[in-house]
Coordinates of all heavy atoms in Angstrom, one line a residue:
M1 N 25.9 11.6 8.5 CA 24.7 12.3 8.9 C 24.2 11.8 10.3 O 25.0 11.1 10.9 CB 23.6 12.0 7.8 CG 24.1 12.6 6.5 SD 22.9 12.3 5.2 CE 22.0 13.9 5.2
S2 N 23.1 12.2 10.7 CA 22.6 11.8 12.0 C 22.4 10.3 12.2 O 22.0 9.6 11.3 CB 21.3 12.5 12.3 OG 20.7 11.9 13.5
T3 N 22.8 9.8 13.4 CA 22.6 8.4 13.6 C 21.3 8.2 14.3 O 20.9 7.1 14.7 CB 23.7 7.8 14.5 OG1 23.9 8.6 15.6 CG2 25.0 7.7 13.7
F4 N 20.5 9.2 14.6 CA 19.3 9.1 15.4 C 18.0 9.0 14.5 O 17.0 8.6 15.0 CB 19.2 10.3 16.3 CG 20.3 10.4 17.3 CD1 21.4 11.3 17.1 CD2 20.4 9.4 18.3 CE1 22.4 11.3 18.0 CE2 21.5 9.5 19.2 CZ 22.5 10.4 19.0
I5 N 18.1 9.4 13.3 CA 17.0 9.2 12.4 C 17.5 8.6 11.1 O 18.7 8.7 10.8 CB 16.2 10.5 12.0 CG1 17.2 11.5 11.4 CG2 15.5 11.1 13.2 CD1 16.5 12.7 10.7
C6 N 16.6 7.9 10.4 CA 17.0 7.2 9.2 C 17.4 8.3 8.2 O 16.7 9.2 8.0 CB 15.9 6.4 8.7 SG 16.2 5.6 7.0
D7 N 18.5 8.1 7.5 CA 19.0 9.1 6.6 C 18.2 9.1 5.2 O 18.3 9.9 4.4 CB 20.5 9.0 6.3 CG 21.3 9.6 7.4 OD1 20.9 10.6 7.9 OD2 22.3 8.9 7.8
F8 N 17.5 8.0 5.1 CA 16.7 7.9 3.8 C 15.3 8.4 4.0 O 14.7 9.0 3.1 CB 16.7 6.4 3.4 CG 18.1 5.9 3.0 CD1 18.8 5.3 4.0 CD2 18.6 6.1 1.7 CE1 20.1 4.8 3.6 CE2 19.9 5.7 1.4 CZ 20.6 5.0 2.4
C9 N 14.6 8.0 5.1 CA 13.2 8.4 5.3 C 12.9 9.2 6.5 O 11.8 9.6 6.7 CB 12.3 7.2 5.3 SG 12.5 6.2 6.8
A10 N 14.0 9.5 7.3 CA 13.8 10.3 8.5 C 13.0 9.7 9.7 O 12.6 10.4 10.6 CB 13.3 11.7 8.2
E11 N 12.8 8.4 9.6 CA 12.1 7.8 10.7 C 13.1 7.6 11.9 O 14.3 7.4 11.7 CB 11.5 6.4 10.3 CG 10.3 6.6 9.5 CD 9.3 5.4 9.7 OE1 9.8 4.3 10.2 OE2 8.2 5.5 9.2
P12 N 12.6 7.6 13.1 CA 13.5 7.5 14.3 C 14.0 6.1 14.6 O 14.9 6.0 15.4 CB 12.6 8.1 15.4 CG 11.2 7.8 15.0 CD 11.2 7.8 13.5
N13 N 13.5 5.1 14.0 CA 13.9 3.7 14.4 C 15.1 3.3 13.6 O 15.0 2.4 12.7 CB 12.8 2.8 14.2 CG 11.6 3.2 15.0 OD1 11.7 3.6 16.2 ND2 10.4 3.3 14.4
V14 N 16.3 3.8 13.9 CA 17.5 3.4 13.2 C 18.0 2.0 13.7 O 18.3 1.8 14.9 CB 18.6 4.5 13.4 CG1 19.9 4.0 12.8 CG2 18.2 5.7 12.7
L15 N 18.1 1.1 12.7 CA 18.6 -0.3 13.1 C 19.9 -0.6 12.4 O 20.6 -1.5 12.8 CB 17.5 -1.3 12.7 CG 16.2 -1.2 13.4 CD1 15.2 -2.2 12.8 CD2 16.3 -1.3 14.9
W16 N 20.2 0.1 11.4 CA 21.4 -0.2 10.6 C 22.2 1.0 10.3 O 21.7 2.1 10.2 CB 21.0 -0.9 9.2 CG 20.3 -2.1 9.4 CD1 18.9 -2.3 9.6 CD2 20.8 -3.5 9.5 NE1 18.6 -3.6 9.8 CE2 19.8 -4.4 9.7 CE3 22.1 -4.0 9.4 CZ2 20.0 -5.7 9.8 CZ3 22.3 -5.3 9.5 CH2 21.2 -6.2 9.7
Q17 N 23.5 0.8 10.0 CA 24.4 1.8 9.7 C 25.2 1.4 8.5 O 25.8 0.3 8.4 CB 25.4 2.1 10.8 CG 25.8 3.5 10.9 CD 26.4 3.9 12.3 OE1 26.2 3.2 13.2 NE2 27.0 5.0 12.4
Y18 N 25.3 2.2 7.5 CA 26.0 1.9 6.2 C 27.3 2.8 6.2 O 27.3 4.0 6.2 CB 25.2 2.3 5.0 CG 24.2 1.2 4.7 CD1 22.9 1.3 5.3 CD2 24.5 0.2 3.8 CE1 22.0 0.3 5.0 CE2 23.5 -0.8 3.6 CZ 22.3 -0.8 4.1 OH 21.4 -1.7 3.9
P19 N 28.5 2.1 6.3 CA 29.7 2.8 6.2 C 29.8 3.5 4.9 O 29.6 2.9 3.8 CB 30.8 1.7 6.3 CG 30.1 0.5 6.7 CD 28.7 0.6 6.3
A20 N 30.2 4.8 4.9 CA 30.3 5.6 3.7 C 31.3 6.7 3.9 O 31.5 7.2 5.0 CB 28.9 6.2 3.3
Q21 N 31.9 7.2 2.8 CA 32.7 8.3 2.8 C 31.9 9.6 2.8 O 30.8 9.6 2.2 CB 33.6 8.3 1.5 CG 34.7 7.2 1.6 CD 35.4 7.1 0.2 OE1 34.8 7.3 -0.8 NE2 36.7 6.9 0.3
S22 N 32.4 10.6 3.4 CA 31.7 11.9 3.3 C 31.7 12.5 1.9 O 32.6 12.2 1.1 CB 32.3 12.9 4.2 OG 32.3 12.4 5.6
F23 N 30.6 13.1 1.5 CA 30.6 13.8 0.2 C 29.6 15.0 0.3 O 28.7 15.1 1.2 CB 30.1 12.9 -0.9 CG 28.8 12.3 -0.7 CD1 27.7 12.8 -1.3 CD2 28.6 11.1 0.0 CE1 26.4 12.3 -1.2 CE2 27.3 10.5 0.1 CZ 26.2 11.1 -0.5
V24 N 29.8 15.9 -0.6 CA 29.0 17.1 -0.6 C 27.9 16.9 -1.7 O 28.2 16.6 -2.8 CB 29.8 18.4 -0.9 CG1 28.9 19.6 -1.0 CG2 30.9 18.6 0.1
A25 N 26.6 17.1 -1.3 CA 25.5 16.9 -2.2 C 24.4 17.8 -1.8 O 23.6 17.5 -0.9 CB 25.1 15.4 -2.2
Y26 N 24.3 18.9 -2.5 CA 23.2 19.8 -2.2 C 22.0 19.4 -3.0 O 22.0 19.4 -4.2 CB 23.5 21.2 -2.5 CG 24.5 21.8 -1.5 CD1 25.9 21.7 -1.8 CD2 24.1 22.2 -0.3 CE1 26.8 22.2 -0.8 CE2 25.0 22.7 0.7 CZ 26.4 22.7 0.4 OH 27.3 23.1 1.3
V27 N 20.9 18.8 -2.3 CA 19.8 18.4 -3.0 C 18.7 19.5 -3.1 O 18.4 20.0 -4.1 CB 19.2 17.1 -2.3 CG1 17.9 16.8 -2.9 CG2 20.2 16.0 -2.5
V28 N 18.3 19.9 -1.9 CA 17.4 21.0 -1.8 C 17.9 21.9 -0.7 O 18.2 21.4 0.4 CB 15.9 20.5 -1.5 CG1 15.0 21.7 -1.3 CG2 15.4 19.6 -2.5
D29 N 18.0 23.2 -0.9 CA 18.6 24.0 0.1 C 17.9 23.8 1.5 O 16.7 23.8 1.6 CB 18.4 25.5 -0.3 CG 19.3 25.9 -1.4 OD1 20.2 25.1 -1.7 OD2 19.2 27.0 -1.9
G30 N 18.7 23.6 2.5 CA 18.1 23.4 3.8 C 17.6 22.0 4.1 O 17.3 21.7 5.3
V31 N 17.5 21.2 3.2 CA 17.0 19.8 3.4 C 18.1 18.8 3.5 O 18.3 18.1 4.4 CB 15.9 19.4 2.4 CG1 15.5 17.9 2.6 CG2 14.7 20.3 2.4
V32 N 18.9 18.8 2.5 CA 20.1 17.9 2.5 C 21.3 18.7 2.0 O 21.2 19.4 0.9 CB 19.9 16.7 1.5 CG1 21.1 15.8 1.6 CG2 18.6 15.9 1.9
G33 N 22.4 18.7 2.7 CA 23.6 19.4 2.3 C 24.7 18.5 2.1 O 24.8 17.7 1.2
Q34 N 25.6 18.5 3.1 CA 26.7 17.6 3.0 C 26.4 16.3 3.7 O 25.7 16.3 4.8 CB 27.9 18.3 3.8 CG 29.2 17.5 3.6 CD 30.4 18.2 4.3 OE1 30.2 19.0 5.1 NE2 31.6 17.8 3.9
S35 N 26.9 15.2 3.2 CA 26.7 13.9 3.8 C 28.0 13.6 4.5 O 29.1 13.5 3.9 CB 26.4 12.8 2.8 OG 26.5 11.6 3.4
V36 N 28.0 13.5 5.9 CA 29.2 13.2 6.6 C 29.2 11.8 7.2 O 28.3 11.4 8.0 CB 29.3 14.2 7.8 CG1 30.5 13.9 8.6 CG2 29.3 15.7 7.3
G37 N 30.1 11.0 6.6 CA 30.3 9.7 7.2 C 29.2 8.7 6.9 O 28.5 8.8 5.9
D38 N 29.0 7.8 7.9 CA 28.1 6.7 7.7 C 26.6 7.2 7.6 O 26.3 8.3 8.0 CB 28.1 5.8 8.9 CG 29.5 5.2 9.1 OD1 30.3 5.3 8.2 OD2 29.7 4.5 10.1
W39 N 25.8 6.3 6.9 CA 24.4 6.6 6.8 C 23.6 5.7 7.7 O 23.9 4.5 7.7 CB 24.0 6.4 5.4 CG 24.3 7.6 4.5 CD1 25.5 8.2 4.4 CD2 23.5 8.1 3.4 NE1 25.4 9.2 3.4 CE2 24.2 9.1 2.8 CE3 22.2 7.8 3.0 CZ2 23.7 9.9 1.8 CZ3 21.7 8.6 1.9 CH2 22.4 9.6 1.4
A40 N 22.6 6.2 8.4 CA 21.7 5.4 9.2 C 20.5 5.0 8.4 O 20.1 5.7 7.5 CB 21.3 6.2 10.4
A41 N 20.0 3.8 8.7 CA 18.8 3.3 8.0 C 17.9 2.6 8.9 O 18.3 1.9 9.8 CB 19.3 2.3 6.9
C42 N 16.6 2.8 8.7 CA 15.6 2.1 9.5 C 15.4 0.7 8.9 O 16.0 0.4 7.9 CB 14.3 2.8 9.5 SG 13.5 2.9 7.9
G43 N 14.7 -0.2 9.5 CA 14.5 -1.5 9.1 C 13.9 -1.6 7.7 O 14.3 -2.4 6.8
V44 N 12.9 -0.7 7.4 CA 12.3 -0.8 6.1 C 13.2 -0.3 5.0 O 13.3 -1.0 4.0 CB 11.0 0.2 6.1 CG1 10.4 0.2 4.7 CG2 10.0 -0.3 7.1
C45 N 14.0 0.7 5.2 CA 14.9 1.2 4.2 C 16.0 0.2 4.0 O 16.5 0.0 2.9 CB 15.5 2.6 4.5 SG 14.2 3.9 4.4
H46 N 16.5 -0.4 5.1 CA 17.5 -1.4 5.0 C 17.0 -2.6 4.1 O 17.8 -3.1 3.2 CB 17.8 -2.0 6.4 CG 18.8 -3.1 6.4 ND1 18.3 -4.4 6.6 CD2 20.1 -3.2 6.1 CE1 19.4 -5.2 6.5 NE2 20.5 -4.5 6.2
R47 N 15.8 -3.0 4.3 CA 15.2 -4.1 3.5 C 15.2 -3.7 2.0 O 15.6 -4.5 1.1 CB 13.8 -4.5 3.9 CG 13.8 -5.6 4.9 CD 12.4 -6.3 4.9 NE 11.3 -5.4 5.1 CZ 11.0 -4.9 6.3 NH1 11.6 -5.3 7.4 NH2 9.9 -4.1 6.4
L48 N 14.8 -2.5 1.7 CA 14.7 -2.0 0.3 C 16.1 -1.9 -0.3 O 16.3 -2.3 -1.4 CB 14.1 -0.6 0.3 CG 12.6 -0.6 0.6 CD1 12.1 0.9 0.8 CD2 11.8 -1.2 -0.5
I49 N 17.1 -1.5 0.5 CA 18.5 -1.3 0.0 C 19.0 -2.7 -0.3 O 19.6 -3.0 -1.4 CB 19.4 -0.6 1.0 CG1 19.0 0.8 1.2 CG2 20.9 -0.7 0.6 CD1 19.5 1.6 2.4
E50 N 18.9 -3.6 0.7 CA 19.4 -5.0 0.5 C 18.7 -5.7 -0.6 O 19.3 -6.6 -1.3 CB 19.3 -5.8 1.8 CG 20.1 -5.2 3.0 CD 21.6 -5.1 2.6 OE1 22.2 -6.0 2.1 OE2 22.1 -4.0 2.9
A51 N 17.5 -5.4 -0.9 CA 16.8 -6.0 -2.0 C 17.1 -5.4 -3.4 O 16.7 -5.8 -4.4 CB 15.3 -6.0 -1.8
G52 N 17.9 -4.3 -3.3 CA 18.2 -3.6 -4.5 C 17.1 -2.8 -5.1 O 17.0 -2.5 -6.3
D53 N 16.1 -2.5 -4.3 CA 14.9 -1.9 -4.7 C 15.1 -0.3 -4.6 O 14.6 0.3 -3.7 CB 13.7 -2.3 -3.9 CG 12.3 -1.7 -4.4 OD1 12.4 -0.9 -5.4 OD2 11.3 -2.1 -3.9
R54 N 15.8 0.2 -5.6 CA 16.1 1.6 -5.5 C 14.9 2.5 -5.7 O 14.8 3.6 -5.2 CB 17.1 2.0 -6.6 CG 18.5 1.3 -6.5 CD 19.3 1.8 -5.3 NE 20.5 1.0 -5.2 CZ 21.6 1.2 -5.8 NH1 21.8 2.2 -6.6 NH2 22.7 0.4 -5.6
T55 N 13.9 2.0 -6.5 CA 12.7 2.7 -6.8 C 11.9 2.8 -5.5 O 11.4 3.8 -5.1 CB 11.9 2.0 -7.9 OG1 12.7 1.9 -9.0 CG2 10.7 2.9 -8.3
G56 N 11.8 1.7 -4.8 CA 11.0 1.6 -3.6 C 11.6 2.6 -2.5 O 10.9 3.3 -1.8
L57 N 12.9 2.6 -2.5 CA 13.7 3.4 -1.5 C 13.4 4.9 -1.9 O 13.2 5.7 -1.0 CB 15.2 3.1 -1.6 CG 16.1 3.9 -0.6 CD1 15.8 3.4 0.8 CD2 17.5 3.6 -0.9
L58 N 13.5 5.2 -3.2 CA 13.3 6.6 -3.6 C 11.9 7.0 -3.3 O 11.7 8.1 -2.8 CB 13.5 6.6 -5.2 CG 13.3 8.0 -5.8 CD1 14.2 9.0 -5.3 CD2 13.5 7.8 -7.3
E59 N 10.9 6.2 -3.6 CA 9.5 6.6 -3.3 C 9.2 6.8 -1.8 O 8.5 7.7 -1.4 CB 8.5 5.6 -3.9 CG 8.5 5.5 -5.4 CD 8.3 6.9 -6.1 OE1 7.4 7.6 -5.6 OE2 9.0 7.1 -7.1
R60 N 9.9 6.0 -1.0 CA 9.7 6.1 0.4 C 10.4 7.4 0.9 O 9.8 8.1 1.7 CB 10.4 4.9 1.1 CG 10.3 4.9 2.6 CD 10.8 3.6 3.2 NE 10.9 3.8 4.7 CZ 10.0 3.7 5.6 NH1 8.7 3.5 5.1 NH2 10.2 3.8 6.9
S61 N 11.6 7.7 0.4 CA 12.2 8.9 0.8 C 11.4 10.1 0.4 O 11.2 11.1 1.2 CB 13.6 9.1 0.1 OG 14.5 8.1 0.6
L62 N 10.9 10.1 -0.8 CA 10.2 11.2 -1.4 C 8.9 11.4 -0.6 O 8.5 12.5 -0.2 CB 9.9 11.0 -2.8 CG 9.1 12.1 -3.6 CD1 10.0 13.3 -3.7 CD2 8.7 11.6 -5.0
G63 N 8.2 10.3 -0.3 CA 6.9 10.3 0.4 C 7.1 10.9 1.8 O 6.3 11.8 2.2
T64 N 8.1 10.5 2.6 CA 8.2 11.1 3.9 C 8.7 12.6 3.8 O 8.3 13.4 4.7 CB 9.2 10.3 4.7 OG1 10.5 10.1 4.0 CG2 8.7 8.9 5.1
L65 N 9.5 12.9 2.8 CA 9.9 14.3 2.7 C 8.7 15.2 2.4 O 8.6 16.3 3.0 CB 10.9 14.4 1.5 CG 11.5 15.8 1.3 CD1 12.4 16.3 2.4 CD2 12.4 15.7 0.0
L66 N 7.8 14.7 1.5 CA 6.7 15.6 1.1 C 5.7 15.6 2.3 O 5.0 16.6 2.5 CB 6.0 15.0 -0.1 CG 6.8 15.2 -1.4 CD1 6.1 14.5 -2.6 CD2 7.0 16.6 -1.7
E67 N 5.6 14.5 3.1 CA 4.7 14.5 4.2 C 5.1 15.6 5.2 O 4.3 16.3 5.8 CB 4.8 13.2 4.9 CG 3.5 12.6 5.3 CD 3.7 11.1 5.8 OE1 4.1 10.9 6.9 OE2 3.5 10.2 4.9
K68 N 6.4 15.7 5.4 CA 6.9 16.7 6.4 C 7.0 18.1 5.8 O 7.0 19.1 6.5 CB 8.3 16.3 6.9 CG 8.3 15.1 7.7 CD 9.7 14.8 8.4 CE 9.6 13.7 9.4 NZ 9.4 12.4 8.8
N69 N 7.1 18.2 4.4 CA 7.2 19.5 3.8 C 6.2 19.6 2.6 O 6.5 19.6 1.5 CB 8.6 19.7 3.2 CG 9.7 19.5 4.3 OD1 10.0 20.5 5.0 ND2 10.2 18.3 4.3
P70 N 4.9 19.7 3.0 CA 3.8 19.7 1.9 C 4.0 20.9 1.0 O 3.5 20.8 -0.2 CB 2.5 19.8 2.7 CG 2.9 20.0 4.2 CD 4.3 19.8 4.3
N71 N 4.7 21.9 1.4 CA 4.9 23.0 0.5 C 5.8 22.7 -0.7 O 5.9 23.4 -1.7 CB 5.5 24.2 1.2 CG 6.8 23.8 1.9 OD1 6.9 22.8 2.6 ND2 7.9 24.6 1.7
M72 N 6.5 21.5 -0.6 CA 7.3 21.1 -1.7 C 6.6 20.2 -2.8 O 7.2 19.8 -3.8 CB 8.5 20.2 -1.1 CG 9.5 21.0 -0.3 SD 10.7 19.9 0.3 CE 11.9 21.0 1.1
L73 N 5.3 20.0 -2.6 CA 4.6 19.1 -3.5 C 4.7 19.6 -4.9 O 4.7 18.8 -5.9 CB 3.1 19.1 -3.0 CG 2.7 17.9 -2.2 CD1 1.4 18.0 -1.6 CD2 2.8 16.5 -3.0
A74 N 4.7 20.9 -5.1 CA 4.7 21.5 -6.5 C 6.0 21.1 -7.2 O 6.0 21.0 -8.4 CB 4.6 23.0 -6.4
A75 N 7.0 20.8 -6.4 CA 8.3 20.4 -7.0 C 8.6 18.9 -7.0 O 9.7 18.5 -7.1 CB 9.4 21.2 -6.3
E76 N 7.5 18.1 -6.9 CA 7.7 16.7 -6.7 C 8.6 16.0 -7.7 O 9.5 15.2 -7.4 CB 6.3 16.0 -6.6 CG 6.4 14.5 -6.3 CD 5.1 13.9 -6.2 OE1 4.1 14.6 -6.0 OE2 5.0 12.6 -6.2
A77 N 8.4 16.3 -9.0 CA 9.2 15.7 -10.0 C 10.6 16.0 -9.9 O 11.5 15.1 -10.1 CB 8.6 16.1 -11.4
D78 N 11.0 17.3 -9.6 CA 12.3 17.7 -9.5 C 12.9 17.0 -8.2 O 14.1 16.6 -8.3 CB 12.4 19.2 -9.3 CG 12.1 20.0 -10.6 OD1 12.2 19.3 -11.6 OD2 11.9 21.2 -10.5
L79 N 12.2 17.0 -7.2 CA 12.6 16.4 -5.9 C 13.0 14.9 -6.2 O 14.0 14.4 -5.6 CB 11.6 16.5 -4.8 CG 11.5 17.8 -4.1 CD1 10.3 17.8 -3.2 CD2 12.8 18.0 -3.3
R80 N 12.1 14.2 -6.9 CA 12.4 12.8 -7.2 C 13.7 12.6 -7.9 O 14.5 11.8 -7.5 CB 11.2 12.2 -8.0 CG 11.5 10.7 -8.3 CD 10.3 10.1 -9.1 NE 9.2 9.8 -8.3 CZ 8.0 10.4 -8.3 NH1 7.8 11.4 -9.1 NH2 7.0 10.1 -7.5
D81 N 14.0 13.4 -8.9 CA 15.3 13.4 -9.6 C 16.4 13.7 -8.7 O 17.5 13.0 -8.8 CB 15.3 14.4 -10.8 CG 14.3 14.0 -11.9 OD1 13.9 12.9 -11.9 OD2 14.1 14.9 -12.7
E82 N 16.3 14.7 -7.8 CA 17.4 15.1 -7.0 C 17.6 14.0 -5.9 O 18.8 13.7 -5.6 CB 17.0 16.4 -6.3 CG 17.2 17.6 -7.3 CD 16.4 18.8 -6.9 OE1 15.8 18.8 -5.8 OE2 16.6 19.8 -7.6
L83 N 16.6 13.4 -5.4 CA 16.7 12.4 -4.4 C 17.4 11.1 -5.0 O 18.2 10.5 -4.4 CB 15.4 12.0 -3.8 CG 14.9 12.8 -2.6 CD1 13.5 12.4 -2.2 CD2 15.8 12.7 -1.4
A84 N 17.0 10.8 -6.3 CA 17.6 9.7 -7.0 C 19.1 9.9 -7.2 O 19.9 9.0 -7.0 CB 16.9 9.5 -8.3
A85 N 19.4 11.1 -7.5 CA 20.9 11.5 -7.7 C 21.6 11.3 -6.3 O 22.7 10.8 -6.3 CB 21.0 12.9 -8.2
F86 N 20.9 11.8 -5.3 CA 21.5 11.7 -4.0 C 21.8 10.3 -3.5 O 22.8 9.9 -3.0 CB 20.6 12.4 -2.9 CG 21.3 12.7 -1.6 CD1 22.5 13.3 -1.6 CD2 20.6 12.3 -0.4 CE1 23.1 13.6 -0.3 CE2 21.2 12.6 0.8 CZ 22.5 13.2 0.9
H87 N 20.8 9.4 -3.8 CA 20.9 8.0 -3.5 C 22.1 7.4 -4.3 O 22.8 6.6 -3.8 CB 19.6 7.2 -3.7 CG 18.6 7.6 -2.7 ND1 17.3 7.0 -2.7 CD2 18.6 8.3 -1.6 CE1 16.6 7.5 -1.7 NE2 17.4 8.3 -1.0
R88 N 22.1 7.8 -5.6 CA 23.2 7.2 -6.4 C 24.6 7.6 -5.8 O 25.5 6.8 -5.8 CB 23.1 7.7 -7.9 CG 22.2 6.9 -8.7 CD 22.4 7.2 -10.2 NE 22.1 8.6 -10.6 CZ 21.0 9.1 -10.8 NH1 19.9 8.4 -10.8 NH2 20.8 10.4 -11.1
M89 N 24.7 8.9 -5.4 CA 25.9 9.3 -4.8 C 26.3 8.5 -3.5 O 27.4 8.2 -3.3 CB 25.8 10.8 -4.4 CG 26.1 11.7 -5.6 SD 26.2 13.4 -5.0 CE 24.6 14.0 -5.6
F90 N 25.2 8.3 -2.7 CA 25.5 7.5 -1.5 C 26.0 6.1 -1.9 O 27.0 5.7 -1.3 CB 24.2 7.3 -0.7 CG 24.3 6.1 0.3 CD1 25.2 6.2 1.4 CD2 23.6 5.0 0.1 CE1 25.3 5.2 2.3 CE2 23.7 3.9 1.0 CZ 24.6 4.0 2.1
F91 N 25.4 5.4 -2.8 CA 25.8 4.1 -3.2 C 27.2 4.1 -3.8 O 28.0 3.1 -3.7 CB 24.8 3.4 -4.0 CG 23.5 3.0 -3.3 CD1 22.3 3.7 -3.6 CD2 23.6 2.1 -2.3 CE1 21.2 3.4 -2.8 CE2 22.4 1.8 -1.5 CZ 21.2 2.4 -1.8
A92 N 27.6 5.2 -4.4 CA 28.9 5.3 -5.0 C 29.9 5.6 -3.9 O 31.1 5.3 -4.1 CB 28.9 6.5 -6.0
H93 N 29.5 6.1 -2.7 CA 30.4 6.4 -1.6 C 30.4 5.4 -0.5 O 31.0 5.5 0.5 CB 30.1 7.8 -1.1 CG 30.6 8.9 -2.0 ND1 29.8 9.3 -3.0 CD2 31.7 9.6 -2.1 CE1 30.4 10.2 -3.7 NE2 31.6 10.5 -3.1
Q94 N 29.5 4.4 -0.7 CA 29.4 3.3 0.4 C 30.7 2.5 0.4 O 31.3 2.2 -0.6 CB 28.2 2.4 0.0 CG 27.9 1.3 1.1 CD 26.8 0.4 0.6 OE1 26.1 0.6 -0.4 NE2 26.6 -0.7 1.4
T95 N 31.2 2.3 1.6 CA 32.5 1.6 1.8 C 32.4 0.2 2.3 O 33.4 -0.5 2.4 CB 33.4 2.4 2.7 OG1 32.8 2.6 3.9 CG2 33.7 3.8 2.1
G96 N 31.2 -0.3 2.7 CA 31.1 -1.6 3.2 C 29.7 -2.0 3.5 O 28.8 -1.3 3.2
A97 N 29.5 -3.2 3.9 CA 28.2 -3.8 4.2 C 27.6 -3.1 5.4 O 28.3 -2.5 6.3 CB 28.3 -5.3 4.4
A98 N 26.3 -3.2 5.5 CA 25.5 -2.6 6.6 C 25.9 -3.2 7.9 O 26.1 -4.4 8.0 CB 24.0 -2.7 6.4
L99 N 26.0 -2.4 9.0 CA 26.3 -2.9 10.3 C 25.0 -2.7 11.2 O 24.4 -1.6 11.1 CB 27.4 -2.1 10.9 CG 28.7 -2.0 10.1 CD1 29.7 -1.0 10.7 CD2 29.4 -3.4 10.1
Q100 N 24.7 -3.7 12.0 CA 23.6 -3.6 12.9 C 23.9 -2.6 14.0 O 24.9 -2.7 14.7 CB 23.2 -4.9 13.4 CG 21.7 -5.0 13.8 CD 21.1 -6.3 13.6 OE1 21.8 -7.3 13.4 NE2 19.8 -6.4 13.7
V101 N 23.0 -1.7 14.3 CA 23.2 -0.8 15.4 C 22.7 -1.4 16.7 O 21.6 -2.0 16.7 CB 22.3 0.5 15.1 CG1 22.4 1.5 16.3 CG2 22.9 1.2 13.9
V102 N 23.5 -1.4 17.7 CA 23.1 -2.1 18.9 C 22.8 -1.1 20.0 O 23.2 0.1 19.9 CB 24.2 -3.0 19.5 CG1 24.2 -4.3 18.7 CG2 25.6 -2.4 19.4
Ligands
LIG201 ZN1 14.2 4.7 6.6

């Protein structure tokens, strides 16, 4: 996915890159489709990932998604499930430790 925004929360301050295999994962039409290669992470998401705080990561992803797409609020519960599944797929396709972006 893009290396210019965090793939978890869409913030522009990408500091880390997670090596990962590409996979297809349609979460919400037009929002997340195919995941290609490495995943980018901002400092906050990296901390959550390294701490194993999947719930914190999920709530952060969901929060920023809903902030940018308030029309999706009605589907919040479904979105949470779908994002959780997407994160599980990412961790299943992760191929190595995080690399610092220079
Ligand atoms: Zn982030």
Side-chain angles (χ1 to χ4, degrees):
M1 300 179 94
S2 169
T3 53
F4 299 104
I5 58 166
C6 175
D7 283 319
F8 296 93
C9 73
E11 280 209 352
N13 304 311
V14 170
L15 298 176
W16 297 90
Q17 209 161 348
Y18 281 87
Q21 291 173 320
S22 300
F23 61 94
V24 177
Y26 290 95
V27 172
V28 179
D29 286 354
V31 176
V32 181
Q34 189 180 17
S35 171
V36 179
D38 297 351
W39 281 43
C42 68
V44 175
C45 291
H46 173 256
R47 266 204 306 280
L48 291 168
I49 293 165
E50 296 304 312
D53 188 354
R54 300 286 175 88
T55 306
L57 185 68
L58 177 59
E59 293 305 320
R60 179 173 168 80
S61 291
L62 183 66
T64 53
L65 181 66
L66 291 175
E67 222 170 83
K68 292 189 170 72
N69 305 277
N71 56 313
M72 290 179 174
L73 265 169
E76 186 176 343
D78 289 342
L79 279 173
R80 180 179 282 108
D81 290 347
E82 287 161 357
L83 275 173
F86 193 52
H87 287 177
R88 274 197 301 276
M89 279 188 255
F90 162 69
F91 290 112
H93 289 82
Q94 187 184 349
T95 56
L99 306 168
Q100 201 148 14
V101 175
V102 283

